[in-house]
Amino acid sequence: MLSAACREDNGRIIRLEAENVVLRGEVDELSADNARLLAAFHEALAQRDELSGKLEAALAKIVELTKQVFGRHSERAKGRPDVIDANAWPAGPPEPGGQPERTGDPGEKKRKRGQQPGRPGHGRRNYDHVPHEERIHEPDPELLVCPRCRAPYVAFGEERSEEIDVEVTVKVVDHARPTYRRGCACEDAKGIVSAPPPAKVIPRGRLSAGFLAHVVVAKFAIGLPISRVCAALSMQGASFAPSSLIGALHSLSALLAPLATAIREHNAASPHLHMDETSWKVFEVVAGKSGYRWWCWIFVGDDTTAFVIKPGKGADVAAEHLGIDLDAQTPMLPGGGMLLASSDFATPYQRLGREVDGFVNIYCWAHSAYWALWRI
């Protein structure tokens, strides 16, 4: 029979072997976890390298687009031998087929701005397409006779010169329509005959078609506010209340609707737009909307400016103006074009930049500085 000490040692050995089995299982589990973590680490490194490559490509694209939009441009053709000034190059005129290089001499004079000596000028502009009016200026009749014998001078030619003039006048045109009554007793003849009244754009209005066209051009083509249009007319002696011209434009709204649509469509097709929005009070009750706070969106292109007033300021407003279907599987600009968007960091523009193919956010340095200072 085993002694009590032997039995106690055997029991301790059995417990230690059991603990060893448990520890070996934990080691195996930790080794498996370590292998999974190593695999995840290598996968993360691969994703980091991929994202770094995408970031570098995006930064290069931003730099290229920024140079295209904000870089210096010149309308003068490069490499034209007829516009090269030999005195402008210290090393002499350029060789055929190549461009000369500056010597970098510190004493070299800096090129002045404007027309350069020795370069051909464009000459006076031709105004043959402008209507011409001839005015004859005769000399004083006393100068056309000899002061001694009083013999008259004989015409033998003329001297001509021209000047450009402009006349802007506001006048009231009185339309008189003489009436004629029948001078016979024939019953089938008309009793009274007169010319028909002049056609009016606005029924019973006092503003002629030419005057309304002048206001429309000043407002939509030149972009003058109605207050400035009234000020310009007052300088011609005609005083108009802004509300009168606004009412006239309101009466022309049906005729101007195609023009406004064409301006918006041309603006939406611009390759570069400055976009922003601001609160705008519209005192109109709309179902499901509390308060009178609407939003005035502005889209400034190269040659057009579009204003859109909507109740909200979501990305759907800009998308609707640009003709983008946000519900499409792959939203994109019409025709698959590209738009450079200068804006602040508002959520709608960020969403369009993320989701819409061809919508490139180049943001605005002024807004960037503002947000940077605001966050300090």
Side-chain angles (χ1 to χ4, degrees):
M1 296 182 62
L2 295 174
S3 63
C6 291
R7 289 196 299 270
E8 183 177 355
D9 292 337
N10 290 335
R12 185 180 299 110
I13 291 173
I14 294 173
R15 287 195 303 271
L16 291 175
E17 289 179 349
E19 290 178 0
N20 187 27
V21 171
V22 172
L23 291 176
R24 287 182 178 276
E26 292 179 354
V27 169
D28 294 338
E29 291 180 0
L30 291 176
S31 298
D33 291 340
N34 186 32
R36 287 194 298 270
L37 290 176
L38 285 175
F41 176 72
H42 291 299
E43 183 179 359
L45 288 178
Q47 292 179 355
R48 185 199 64 178
D49 296 337
E50 181 181 359
L51 292 176
S52 298
K54 291 182 178 180
L55 178 60
E56 291 178 0
L59 290 176
K61 185 177 182 181
I62 290 175
V63 171
E64 180 182 358
L65 294 176
T66 304
K67 289 182 179 179
Q68 293 179 4
V69 177
F70 301 106
R72 298 185 63 182
H73 303 279
S74 175
E75 297 180 356
R76 184 181 295 276
K78 296 182 178 179
R80 287 177 48 189
D82 58 330
V83 297
I84 295 178
D85 183 7
N87 297 326
W89 308 98
E95 295 294 333
Q99 291 293 333
E101 296 182 358
R102 296 281 187 172
T103 59
D105 187 359
E108 181 183 356
K109 292 184 179 180
K110 185 178 180 181
R111 178 182 182 274
K112 295 182 179 180
R113 300 183 62 180
Q115 182 68 27
Q116 301 300 309
R119 294 181 182 272
H122 53 74
R124 280 194 167 188
R125 193 180 299 272
N126 190 350
Y127 290 97
D128 290 342
H129 59 284
V130 178
H132 283 237
E133 174 187 345
E134 186 178 46
R135 296 181 184 179
I136 300 177
H137 303 272
E138 291 286 355
D140 189 345
E142 291 294 331
L143 300 176
L144 296 180
V145 295
C146 177
R148 183 174 182 180
C149 67
R150 309 302 296 176
Y153 277 60
V154 179
F156 76 101
E158 64 180 4
E159 295 180 358
R160 302 188 71 92
S161 62
E162 67 177 21
E163 66 177 358
I164 301 173
D165 189 22
V166 61
E167 293 182 359
V168 180
T169 59
V170 180
K171 59 186 177 182
V172 177
V173 179
D174 295 321
H175 296 279
R177 295 182 294 129
T179 58
Y180 299 86
R181 63 180 177 81
R182 185 176 58 193
C184 63
C186 299
E187 295 183 357
D188 56 346
K190 213 171 179 182
I192 298 176
V193 176
S194 64
K200 291 182 177 292
V201 179
I202 302 176
R204 302 184 65 179
R206 300 181 64 186
L207 303 179
S208 68
F211 186 93
L212 293 172
H214 175 78
V215 176
V216 169
V217 170
K219 174 64 179 174
F220 292 98
I222 305 178
L224 294 178
I226 291 298
S227 58
R228 295 186 184 178
V229 177
C230 292
L233 292 173
S234 65
M235 298 177 66
Q236 307 303 323
S239 178
F240 288 89
S243 58
S244 300
L245 299 187
I246 292 175
L249 292 177
H250 181 71
S251 301
L252 297 175
S253 58
L255 298 175
L256 296 177
L259 173 63
T261 302
I263 292 176
R264 291 194 183 97
E265 291 177 353
H266 183 78
N267 177 270
S270 300
H272 178 211
L273 286 176
H274 293 266
M275 297 183 288
D276 202 358
E277 78 291 331
T278 185
S279 58
W280 193 266
K281 296 290 185 179
V282 176
F283 296 99
E284 180 179 353
V285 178
V286 178
K289 179 176 177 58
S290 60
Y292 303 104
R293 187 184 186 186
W294 288 40
W295 297 89
C296 177
W297 292 70
I298 181 172
F299 303 89
V300 182
D302 183 35
D303 53 359
T304 55
T305 300
F307 296 91
V308 178
I309 299 178
K310 293 290 184 178
K313 59 173 300 186
D316 56 326
V317 178
E320 180 182 358
H321 174 71
L322 298 173
I324 301 172
D325 184 10
L326 292 178
D327 296 330
Q329 183 176 3
T330 305
M332 64 177 58
L333 291 165
M338 184 177 67
L339 171 64
L340 304 180
S342 297
S343 66
D344 55 17
F345 296 103
T347 304
Y349 309 118
Q350 296 185 32
R351 178 188 173 187
L352 293 175
R354 290 193 308 267
E355 300 181 4
V356 178
D357 186 17
F359 191 98
V360 181
N361 293 110
I362 58 177
Y363 296 114
C364 172
W365 289 109
H367 285 93
S368 303
Y370 169 79
W371 282 105
L373 294 174
W374 183 79
R375 292 174 180 273
I376 296 178

